[in-house]
Amino acid sequence: MRPDRPHIQVLSPRTWGEFGNYLAATRFSRVLRGAVDAEVTLLEAEPILPWLGEAGAEIRTISLESPDATVRTRRYMALMARLQERFPSGFETDPTAAQITELAPLTEHLRSTAPDVVVGTKGFVARLCVAAVRLAGLRTRVVSHVTNPGLLQLPLHRSPHPDLTLVGFDWAKDHLLAQTGGDPDRVRVVGPLVAQHDLRDFMTSESAAPAAGPWGADSGRPRLIVFCNRGGDVYLELVHHIAAHHPDTDLVFVGYDDPDLARRAAAGAQRLTHWRFHSRLTQAEYFDYIDRASRSPYGLLVSKAGPNTTLEAAYFGIPVLMLESGLPMERWVPGLIHENHLGRACAAPDDLFNTVDDWLTHPSAIEEHKKAAIGFAESVLDQEAVARRIGDAVRPLLDAR
């Protein structure tokens, strides 16, 4: 690190939301390195504050073990309420003795590293940083990078106190200001940031077993990527249903980091030698699958309705067919999908199965959503413009140091 360059730290929980949040932080850090003249360091938050990892483990358990969306929502909101009780609105400016103790490792970390700017990629982490900076007696500026605007529905993740909050959509800024009464000049709309091919760093592995030959012929039949990240057995049943009723479809199933899930999915499709099943991909497979689905008029991504997954697919011109997760911060995603005709988000498994049958029987429906996804990517997901806006927003914080 050059001593004359300003230093930015990006703190991101890795256990909150599987790899999604850390993937967003990785992309943000890389964009920031190209947008401002500063040293940018990305750090996991859990080694500094281990209790964040305990909460992340509970979120994972809630996601995997809840029997339905209603129970998942209730359990998740109960956890958020407990954390909000420990760190209520306004604690950043007047922490209690107990809060000071819980923040002590973060306070010491910032005191010893003294970054010019610290970025929290969860609103809660940014709130913790505001308090720790004050306790450490630093002039470090705090940025809240909102990777999922749905989190602003939760008091835990919103605050007027960061020096700068970056959001992807105008409605997210309006909601945050309406709830917190903050300064509009400290909230900047920069547009949605997508990972593009940075996703390969999380999805691929050199040790992954290579597939037997290329995936799918260059034909006019539908080409599906089924991505199961904390999705449960619904996606296994879906794959077996497609195998029974639509065997001519080209399909790849990714049970992320779950080899047993991939084996169970493959068990019902042994005769379909043109299908592929993975828990990890090689980089060559990752690029091949994305490229072939993108080029196909009937390429389709099937997954839970997460915002990052939806935007990534749209960036590559791939429509989505999704099942609502039941998590409160993802409730806005069906609206994003339907208002922009990016595909369909289904409220229940029966709807998912019926839509699969309809679209695979009449694939022209997929083609119409593909056209809309391409138009959305061109008008909303201009990544050069997003990077420029991020640089323009952060640079004044460095100039004022």
Side-chain angles (χ1 to χ4, degrees), residues 202-222:
F202 295 80
M203 289 291 297
T204 66
S205 169
E206 292 181 1
S207 62
W215 173 52
D218 287 321
S219 65
R221 62 193 183 193

Side-chain angles (χ1 to χ4, degrees), residues 68-354:
D68 54 49
T70 300
V71 173
R72 187 177 297 116
T73 297
R74 186 177 71 245
R75 291 174 176 174
Y76 182 85
M77 292 301 289
L79 171 60
M80 295 297 104
R82 293 199 304 272
L83 289 171
Q84 179 67 17
E85 186 176 1
R86 283 167 61 185
F87 297 95
S89 300
F91 94 93
E92 302 97 312
T93 60
D94 188 21
T96 65
Q99 292 160 353
I100 291 171
T101 298
E102 290 200 83
L103 286 170
L106 178 60
T107 302
E108 180 54 34
H109 166 79
L110 293 175
R111 182 183 289 121
S112 62
T113 57
D116 297 283
V117 172
V118 60
V119 182
T121 62
K122 288 282 189 189
F124 182 42
V125 174
R127 294 178 64 210
L128 298 176
C129 288
V130 169
V133 162
R134 295 184 181 213
L135 291 170
L138 299 171
R139 298 179 62 188
T140 297
R141 303 300 180 93
V142 179
V143 176
S144 177
H145 173 46
V146 180
T147 60
N148 174 4
L151 290 169
L152 296 178
Q153 301 294 325
L154 306 174
L156 186 72
H157 290 293
R158 58 183 187 240
S159 170
H161 297 297
D163 298 282
L164 175 66
T165 299
L166 302 176
V167 298
F169 300 93
D170 289 319
W171 64 262
K173 176 178 180 177
D174 294 341
H175 178 77
L176 177 61
L177 294 175
Q179 295 297 319
T180 66
D183 181 352
D185 291 336
R186 298 170 89 174
V187 183
R188 298 284 292 273
V189 180
V190 295
L193 193 63
V194 299
Q196 299 170 279
H197 282 307
D198 288 339
L199 185 59
R200 69 183 183 273
D201 295 338
F202 295 80
M203 289 291 297
T204 66
S205 169
E206 292 181 1
S207 62
W215 173 52
D218 287 321
S219 65
R221 62 193 183 193
R223 182 162 289 164
L224 273 63
I225 299 175
V226 180
F227 177 53
C228 188
N229 173 24
R230 298 177 298 162
D233 285 352
V234 170
Y235 297 93
L236 298 182
E237 296 167 9
L238 180 69
V239 168
H240 296 160
H241 176 84
I242 295 172
H245 298 282
H246 309 280
D248 289 338
T249 299
D250 286 334
L251 183 143
V252 58
F253 177 91
V254 182
Y256 176 73
D257 259 359
D258 193 337
D260 181 63
L261 185 67
R263 283 193 295 270
R264 291 165 62 202
Q270 296 95 331
R271 74 187 190 283
L272 301 175
T273 57
H274 59 295
W275 285 20
R276 300 287 179 262
F277 299 87
H278 303 274
S279 58
R280 281 275 180 169
L281 309 173
T282 65
Q283 286 204 9
E285 287 163 347
Y286 169 78
F287 285 116
D288 181 59
Y289 293 149
I290 293 293
D291 179 61
R292 287 176 180 264
S294 178
R295 286 191 290 109
S296 169
Y298 312 127
L300 182 66
L301 175 69
V302 182
S303 179
K304 76 177 182 69
N308 291 330
T309 307
T310 301
L311 294 172
E312 298 297 331
Y315 180 82
F316 290 108
I318 303 172
V320 296
L321 177 56
M322 295 189 154
L323 183 64
E324 295 180 27
S325 68
L327 294 173
M329 67 284 197
E330 295 177 344
R331 286 177 181 157
W332 67 282
V333 178
L336 171 74
I337 293 170
H338 297 152
E339 289 166 14
N340 295 283
H341 308 289
L342 303 178
R344 182 180 177 91
C346 302
D350 285 349
D351 190 14
L352 181 70
F353 280 59
N354 291 335

Side-chain angles (χ1 to χ4, degrees), residues 14-18 46 50-65 79:
R14 188 153 193 159
T15 58
W16 289 42
E18 292 292 333
E46 287 87 347
W51 56 263
L52 280 176
E54 296 170 6
E58 186 171 348
I59 292 172
R60 178 179 174 84
T61 299
I62 290 169
S63 298
L64 289 174
E65 298 183 4
L79 171 60

Side-chain angles (χ1 to χ4, degrees), residues 20-71:
N21 189 74
Y22 200 74
L23 168 62
T26 299
R27 179 61 180 159
F28 177 77
S29 300
R30 288 177 176 170
V31 167
L32 203 55
R33 291 185 187 105
V36 298
D37 183 18
E39 301 284 347
V40 180
T41 304
L42 171 60
L43 297 173
E44 295 179 29
E46 287 87 347
I48 301 171
L49 292 175
W51 56 263
L52 280 176
E54 296 170 6
E58 186 171 348
I59 292 172
R60 178 179 174 84
T61 299
I62 290 169
S63 298
L64 289 174
E65 298 183 4
S66 297
D68 54 49
T70 300
V71 173

